[in-house]
Amino acid sequence: MTLPDTSAACAICAPDEPGADPRPLSGLAPAVAALVRADHPDLAPDAPLCRRHRALYRGRHLGELLAAERGALTALDRDVLDSIASEATLAVPPAAPDAPRSLGERAADQVASFGGTWAFLGLFLVVLVVWMAANSAFLLGRGAFDPYPFIFLNLILSCVAAMQAPIIMMSQRRAETRDRATAENDYKINLKAELEIRALHDKLDRQILHQWERLSAIQTLLIAALETDRRQDGAA
């Protein structure tokens, strides 16, 4: 087995510059090699290609396969293909809990986090009970500042609900934005993994076919050698 010459120059890059991990054109997948020959028809089968150009043409090939299956490509699909062509990672680290937030964002998160707890419900129930008990005729009589049917209490509750709902919606919208970004990142990672696995399966299939061809050639040579030895033994 002949090892590739790591000092060889890429046939597409500058000829006087050594290529990065050069590999011969014949070692690429047939579809990828066809794309290379379409752009550079004068390349020889053993022409070395650097890692950057191999990844670039492999990304183009996967893009054509994806476009043939789905039609028009989305922006997320193009991001995945660009990452394959540039050999860049797509995984994005999760945002830190103490990421910079504005005062309004911090207030919205605090209100939303506290408004959905049993502590808030219990405190709110205590306030309602105390308010209604303090304004009942049994304790203060005619001196109640908000007698039954507690119109002022209803006004306060309406104001609290009117203010709390938009604040909670702002916090939920920020959470939805984070979830959407996470879902898009997961989609891109899954799509890239699917394309890479498909390319890996194609590579394994080519390797198996190549091994079978070599074994068949060796078997043919062995059979020919055995027949030659048999004829020689018969002649002797």
Side-chain angles (χ1 to χ4, degrees):
M1 180 178 180
T2 304
L3 296 177
D5 185 9
T6 57
S7 62
C10 176
I12 300 178
C13 298
D16 55 346
E17 295 181 1
D21 189 20
R23 299 297 171 86
L25 177 61
S26 57
L28 301 180
V32 180
L35 290 177
V36 178
R37 292 192 180 94
D39 293 341
H40 306 278
D42 55 340
L43 292 182
D46 58 347
L49 296 181
C50 63
R51 182 173 182 176
R52 180 174 65 88
H53 280 94
R54 295 200 308 270
L56 178 63
Y57 281 98
R58 188 164 64 92
R60 285 180 52 184
H61 168 60
L62 294 177
E64 292 181 355
L65 291 179
L66 197 61
E69 294 178 357
R70 302 187 179 184
L73 300 180
T74 63
L76 297 179
D77 297 336
R78 297 188 183 281
D79 290 341
V80 173
L81 296 175
D82 291 341
S83 69
I84 293 176
S86 60
E87 296 186 326
T89 58
L90 285 174
V92 178
D98 55 349
R101 294 177 299 171
S102 64
L103 177 61
E105 292 174 344
R106 292 196 300 270
D109 292 341
Q110 290 294 332
V111 172
S113 61
F114 179 68
T117 61
W118 284 106
F120 172 77
L121 294 178
L123 179 61
F124 200 66
L125 181 61
V126 170
V127 171
L128 292 179
V129 172
V130 171
W131 185 289
M132 289 184 291
N135 288 277
S136 63
F138 297 99
L139 296 179
L140 299 179
R142 296 181 179 180
F145 58 90
D146 186 23
Y148 182 83
F150 313 115
I151 298 176
F152 186 49
L153 177 60
N154 290 330
L155 176 62
I156 294 177
L157 294 179
S158 300
C159 293
V160 171
M163 294 296 295
Q164 188 181 26
I167 294 176
I168 294 177
M169 290 179 63
M170 285 189 291
S171 179
Q172 291 178 346
R173 187 168 61 244
R174 291 185 61 250
E176 291 175 358
T177 301
R178 293 192 300 267
D179 294 341
R180 187 182 303 109
T182 302
E184 290 178 355
N185 187 60
D186 292 341
Y187 168 79
K188 291 191 291 186
I189 292 175
N190 293 335
L191 179 59
K192 183 176 181 180
E194 179 183 354
L195 294 176
E196 293 287 2
I197 291 174
R198 178 184 299 182
L200 182 60
H201 276 293
D202 293 340
K203 184 176 181 180
L204 291 176
D205 291 340
R206 293 196 309 273
Q207 289 292 106
I208 293 174
L209 180 61
H210 180 64
Q211 292 294 332
W212 276 110
E213 290 176 351
R214 292 185 60 186
L215 290 175
S216 178
I218 293 173
Q219 184 179 13
T220 302
L221 292 176
L222 290 176
I223 293 175
L226 290 175
E227 291 179 352
T228 301
D229 294 339
R230 184 180 304 175
R231 286 194 298 269
Q232 291 177 353
D233 293 340

